[in-house]
Amino acid sequence: MARKIITTQVAIMGAGPAGLMLSHLLAKSGIESTVVEVRSHQQIAETVRAGILEHGSVNLLVESGVSDRVLRDGDRHDGIELRFNGESHRIDFKELVGESVWLYPQTDVFLDLAARRNDDGGDVRYSVTDTTVHDLEGKPKVWFTDAEGQEFEIQADFLVGADGSRSHCRFQIPESNRTWYFHEYPFAWFGILAQAPRSSDELIYANSENGFALISQRTENVQRMYFQCDPKENVADWDDERIWSEFRKRVNGNGFELKEGPVLEKMVLPFRSFVHTPIRHGNLFLAGDAAHTVPPTGAKGLNLALHDVKVLFEGLESFYSNGSSGLLESYSDRALERVWKAQHFSYWMTSMLHTVPGSDDFGRARQLGELHSVVSSRHARAYLAESYTGWPVRGGLATL
């Protein structure tokens, strides 16, 4: 069976939030795109991911016309709590930098974007197989087989690899033309979804001699929480009582008690930092997890992906509207500047809040000294607040 030809301007590998947002922004400017995705719509919708959106990410969703559901169904958080030595210290984002974040699951971001692309007639193809990419330094091509078994070839001006942390596109860049930066942390997060009332209206980042814990929210009656664990931990070894006992040791005290209930889900999430440089090769551009990953402590992963897409869109829009390739040429440098800031912030938050296996008394006392320094200094609190809620973008771009 001969391959059917699809001719478009931008081919996009990956229909997660990054790929769909780019397709949406391009469509608004009259630029054609075709998106292919190996997972089904249902598989993506059922993938549980972090859900803290910077104010710029919220603005992008709302102002670009994707949906305002984040403002209606999401929870605005004007701060977080740092908890150590059994005491809570609030970092007031609004008072320090005038911004907020929104608790809004990545699943909902995907559903909003997928619905918008569907309503707008976007060419998004799920459940494809046999994907390969070709001619990255010329006119890129993508070969794939659709869910009905028909073989296709996409012919495009540009190819965007937004195909996640297991990116196929990333590996097509010759080793001689790329550098990978990788750091693996000596701990993981044991995550649960629990049927319980909220213990707090905002996120609690807890440092304790027993290890880190994060108290987050999902709905009024279902909560998401995490505690630091060994990366090789087996979830089958943990019943509900053992799980809640671990949380109590790390969070409860001085009048605060975690609200408990049946554990609905449990998982172990490994910690890694990764950066691919550069994130352009020929007419291939990488975005989101295909280009970089961060530990979840700083809540940066999805926000970085959306920032990549906005910067890349501006380059593509400039190219098609006036023939200028300047913004495309600088895409990698501009996107990576923010990526490395986020890597630093995520590493700092992670190292300040987690217990490193084998650390001595000096390490523990130094860590508490760092936490005291942060909560007692307006400048340190403001740095944390600005980094958490999202930095302005250099070069005259709108804040994201």
Side-chain angles (χ1 to χ4, degrees):
M1 183 185 301
R3 287 189 177 89
K4 290 187 176 181
I5 303 299
I6 301 171
T7 302
T8 191
Q9 291 170 294
V10 182
I12 301 172
M13 293 274 285
L20 292 182
M21 177 59 82
L22 179 59
S23 181
H24 168 69
L25 294 174
L26 292 171
K28 285 176 62 67
S29 290
I31 302 169
E32 296 178 350
S33 69
T34 295
V35 185
V36 294
E37 169 60 59
V38 298
R39 296 168 295 173
S40 68
H41 181 286
Q42 182 178 354
Q43 285 176 310
I44 305 174
E46 292 177 351
T47 300
V48 177
R49 299 291 295 274
I52 294 293
L53 295 181
E54 299 171 0
H55 61 92
S57 298
V58 172
N59 292 343
L60 183 62
L61 285 168
V62 175
E63 294 173 6
S64 72
V66 173
S67 173
D68 65 353
R69 192 163 68 96
V70 60
L71 301 179
R72 292 180 281 109
D73 296 348
D75 289 327
R76 192 185 82 184
H77 287 188
D78 295 334
I80 59 172
E81 287 188 6
L82 295 182
R83 185 169 175 81
F84 56 96
N85 282 344
E87 297 181 351
S88 293
H89 307 263
R90 187 166 185 265
I91 308 297
D92 190 329
F93 298 157
K94 291 291 285 186
E95 188 268 333
L96 290 163
V97 296
E99 300 292 355
S100 303
V101 296
W102 272 256
L103 180 69
Y104 192 65
Q106 183 167 324
T107 297
D108 289 298
V109 176
F110 164 75
L111 291 173
D112 292 343
L113 282 161
R116 174 53 58 200
R117 293 309 294 129
N118 182 69
D119 292 345
D120 292 342
D123 188 4
V124 182
R125 306 180 185 221
Y126 299 95
S127 301
V128 308
T129 56
D130 307 320
T131 53
T132 58
V133 299
H134 310 270
D135 302 332
L136 301 181
E137 297 181 26
K139 297 275 286 187
K141 299 178 180 63
V142 179
W143 294 357
F144 70 94
T145 303
D146 73 5
E148 283 71 48
Q150 173 64 53
E151 295 181 347
F152 286 89
E153 177 181 293
I154 305 174
Q155 299 177 353
D157 299 326
F158 301 102
L159 170 63
V160 177
D163 49 342
S165 59
R166 296 180 176 86
S167 172
H168 170 76
C169 291
R170 176 201 300 161
F171 284 94
Q172 308 318 303
I173 299 176
E175 289 187 31
S176 59
N177 292 351
R178 71 189 190 213
T179 300
W180 287 359
Y181 298 90
F182 183 80
H183 180 73
E184 187 154 10
Y185 295 81
F187 40 74
W189 275 4
F190 193 107
I192 68 165
L193 200 64
Q195 185 175 328
R198 292 183 177 181
S199 297
S200 171
D201 291 331
E202 297 175 337
L203 271 65
I204 299 174
Y205 288 79
N207 169 293
S208 81
E209 60 185 7
N210 296 298
F212 169 79
L214 172 62
I215 308 306
S216 183
Q217 302 82 25
R218 187 69 179 270
T219 68
E220 290 297 327
N221 300 306
V222 176
Q223 314 309 325
R224 185 162 293 285
M225 308 178 194
Y226 305 88
F227 61 79
Q228 175 185 344
C229 69
D230 188 288
K232 298 178 182 178
E233 198 65 67
N234 183 1
V235 296
D237 295 336
W238 291 77
D239 60 19
D240 285 18
E241 175 53 35
R242 186 183 178 195
I243 289 171
W244 289 117
S245 174
E246 197 64 36
F247 274 115
R248 290 181 211 122
K249 290 189 297 184
R250 302 182 187 207
V251 180
N252 285 3
N254 291 334
F256 178 85
E257 290 189 7
L258 200 60
K259 293 181 171 61
E260 305 175 9
V263 175
L264 307 176
E265 295 178 8
K266 49 190 175 181
M267 69 207 76
V268 172
L269 306 175
F271 264 42
R272 298 185 183 93
S273 290
F274 169 78
V275 180
H276 181 298
T277 65
I279 54 177
R280 177 188 183 176
H281 174 73
N283 288 319
L284 166 66
F285 300 85
L286 300 179
D289 286 357
H292 43 73
T293 56
V294 292
T297 322
K300 289 291 161 225
L302 175 57
N303 296 292
L304 279 180
L306 294 177
H307 178 262
D308 287 351
V309 162
K310 186 172 187 296
V311 174
L312 180 54
F313 160 71
E314 289 172 339
L316 291 167
E317 196 276 335
S318 176
F319 176 83
Y320 284 112
S321 64
N322 58 40
S324 172
S325 60
L327 290 178
L328 281 179
E329 295 292 340
S330 64
Y331 162 69
S332 184
D333 289 341
R334 291 192 299 146
L336 285 171
E337 180 178 343
R338 193 180 186 93
V339 168
W340 282 115
K341 288 173 70 173
Q343 289 288 359
H344 165 70
F345 176 66
S346 297
Y347 181 90
W348 175 63
M349 287 281 285
T350 300
S351 61
M352 179 172 63
L353 292 165
H354 291 71
T355 300
V356 178
S359 61
D360 55 17
D361 291 343
F362 174 85
R364 173 65 183 155
R366 186 215 58 78
Q367 192 177 55
L368 291 174
E370 184 176 14
L371 285 161
H372 279 294
S373 296
V374 170
V375 300
S376 62
S377 165
R378 179 179 176 84
H379 294 295
R381 296 196 311 274
Y383 167 74
L384 194 161
E386 181 185 50
S387 300
Y388 199 97
T389 60
W391 305 280
V393 176
R394 290 198 313 117
L397 304 177
T399 299
L400 179 65

